[in-house]
Amino acid sequence: MRRLDQLLANLGYCSRREARDFLKKHAVTVRGVAVRDPAGKVLAADVLVDGEPLDHPEGLLLVLNKPLGLVCSHDEREGPRVYDLLPERWRARNPQVTSIGRLDKDTSGLILLTDRTELVHQYTSPKHKVPKLYRATVDADLSPELIPLFAAGTLLMDGETVPCAPAELRLNSSDRRTAELVLTEGKYHQVRRMFAAVGVTVLGLHRLQFGRLTLGPLASGEYRAVTTAEID
Ligand code: URA
């Protein structure tokens, strides 16, 4: 059981201070009974707002197809943010909706967003080795010799003292300037820096998959909520 004002504030409906006013303006019921007391204790599943169940009361986990040019930082000074694509109520949630790991401003594709702090840890912890699949477009023909080099677990990127974990490089037989790369870690700018370590510049980068999650039919800028069944 949680206080109703706390619950409404956590889910982005209003601030705790605004809860009393919110209850005057909206038909909020608990098991069908109208409520006016913001301090009352409730079960989220029993609450309806204007006849609708609460918006993802157990937490949000979203797959977003990130467009180029947006940042995963919350700092508006770094440019337009992925969070700006979300509905206002989700942006007002507390805990805040945040990205699980980051994609660079110049990288597009699959990014997970959540307000479930335990998931951020679970998916980014090196211990869990969640595979992430990227498609890179590069400035030179890629040699098959890179496959064992990336797989060896010995590649040292500039500025690092610990080599990269083994990574799977999949070349494209019809286009030697695109390839797929599967990483199980997420060091800063890792794909670009791994290729830089072998003298290749990444011109375009897109993430296709994160663990078992894929983009499916999501167009750039679109997102969907992930069901618990997808991550079990
Ligand atoms: N590697 C990069 O270089 N950039 C990303 O955004 C993700 C992985």
Side-chain angles (χ1 to χ4, degrees), residues 103-104 107 134 189-192 205:
L103 290 179
D104 307 334
T107 302
Y134 296 87
H189 287 185
Q190 186 162 352
V191 175
R192 295 175 205 275
L205 188 58

Side-chain angles (χ1 to χ4, degrees), residues 41 56 66 80 147 151 188 196 204 209:
K41 298 242 167 131
H56 294 85
K66 177 191 170 301
I147 296 173
Y188 181 66
Q209 206 169 331

Side-chain angles (χ1 to χ4, degrees), residues 56-117:
H56 294 85
E58 305 310 330
L60 269 181
L61 175 61
L62 306 171
V63 169
L64 166 71
N65 187 351
K66 177 191 170 301
L68 294 173
L70 302 190
V71 297
C72 294
S73 156
H74 286 275
D75 187 345
E76 288 176 48
R77 291 169 302 183
E78 292 184 29
R81 304 165 308 172
V82 290
Y83 315 103
D84 299 330
L85 297 170
L86 303 180
E88 204 179 322
R89 189 191 294 150
W90 289 359
R91 283 189 274 132
R93 284 172 79 111
N94 177 21
Q96 188 175 45
V97 174
T98 194
S99 64
I100 298 184
R102 287 188 176 187
L103 290 179
D104 307 334
K105 195 171 188 172
D106 297 335
T107 302
S108 57
L110 196 159
I111 183 88
L112 295 176
L113 306 177
T114 192
D115 61 351
R116 291 172 56 185
T117 38

